[in-house]
Amino acid sequence: MSTTVILVAAVVVVLFAVYVSWRAGRLDRLHIRLETAQAALDAALLRRAAVCLELAGSRILDPATSLVLAAAAHEARTAGPDEREHAESDLSRTLRAVVEQERFREKLAEHPAGTALLEELDTAVAKVVYSRRFYNNAAGVTRTAQRRWLARTLRLAGHTDPPRFFDIDDEPPEALATA
C-alpha cells in the first residue's frame, strides 16, 4: 500500500514538473516571439521614416510640404521610447495629409523616380500596419501567459514587466490603399 502511494506521488510530481517545464518553455518562446516582433516593428517604422525622408528630399513636392514631411519623419526616427508612439502617429497623419493633396499622384508620375518611390512608400506603410498588428498580438498572448496563476505563483516570467502594446495611428492614406 505505501509503495503504491509513493509511486503515485512520484508520478504526480514528475508530471507536474514536466508541465511546469513545458509552461516555462512556452513563456520563453513567447518572449522570443515578442522580441522578434518588436525588432520587425522597429525596422518597419524606420523604413517608413526613411522613405518619407527620401520623398521629402526628392524635390517632387513643394518646399513647405517637403519641410513638414521631413520634420515629422525626423521626429519619428529620433523620438525616445516615451515619445515614440506620439511621433509615429504624427508621421502617419502628416503622410496622409501629403499623399491626399491635390495632384499628388500626377506630381510623382512626372518625376522619373516617382513611381518607384510611390511603390516603396506603399510597401513601407503596409509593413508598418502588419508589423504593429503582429507585435500587438504577440504582446497580448505574452501578457495572457504571464497572468496565468502558475506563471505568477512560480514566477516563470522572472522579473520582466508585462509587454506594452504599441498603439499608434497607422491608418494608411486612402490614395495608397487604392493603388
Side-chain angles (χ1 to χ4, degrees):
M1 174 79 171
S2 66
T3 57
T4 307
V5 171
I6 292 173
L7 187 60
V8 168
V11 168
V12 168
V13 167
V14 167
L15 289 176
F16 183 71
V18 167
Y19 180 71
V20 168
S21 174
W22 176 76
R23 292 301 295 181
R26 174 162 167 63
L27 199 53
D28 186 49
R29 288 188 303 275
L30 287 173
H31 279 104
I32 291 169
R33 177 180 165 210
L34 182 68
E35 289 172 3
T36 304
Q38 185 171 17
L41 177 61
D42 287 341
L45 291 170
L46 287 174
R47 183 68 192 138
R48 180 180 71 163
V51 172
C52 288
L53 284 172
E54 187 177 342
L55 177 62
S58 68
R59 298 179 188 236
I60 297 174
L61 306 174
D62 62 275
T65 303
S66 293
L67 184 62
V68 169
L69 184 60
H74 176 72
E75 185 64 33
R77 287 182 75 161
T78 60
D82 294 336
E83 305 94 27
R84 185 140 192 221
E85 290 178 357
H86 181 69
E88 293 293 348
S89 292
D90 283 348
L91 178 57
S92 294
R93 287 187 287 271
T94 302
L95 188 58
R96 275 196 307 270
V98 167
V99 170
E100 292 170 1
Q101 280 183 343
E102 193 174 314
R103 294 199 63 244
F104 175 76
R105 284 190 173 280
E106 290 83 13
K107 287 180 191 176
L108 283 178
E110 293 169 0
H111 195 273
T115 306
L117 195 55
L118 183 63
E119 289 174 7
E120 196 172 350
L121 181 64
D122 185 32
T123 302
V125 168
K127 281 186 180 180
V128 166
V129 172
Y130 295 132
S131 296
R132 187 184 71 83
R133 287 180 187 165
F134 188 76
Y135 171 79
N136 283 342
N137 180 280
V141 170
T142 303
R143 288 174 73 101
T144 301
Q146 284 181 347
R147 283 195 306 254
R148 300 220 185 245
W149 72 270
L150 187 65
R152 282 188 325 233
T153 304
L154 299 178
R155 301 197 55 80
L156 296 180
H159 296 286
T160 60
D161 293 329
R164 293 182 56 222
F165 292 105
F166 193 75
D167 293 322
I168 63 169
D169 174 9
D170 63 354
E171 184 178 333
E174 287 182 25
L176 289 181
T178 59

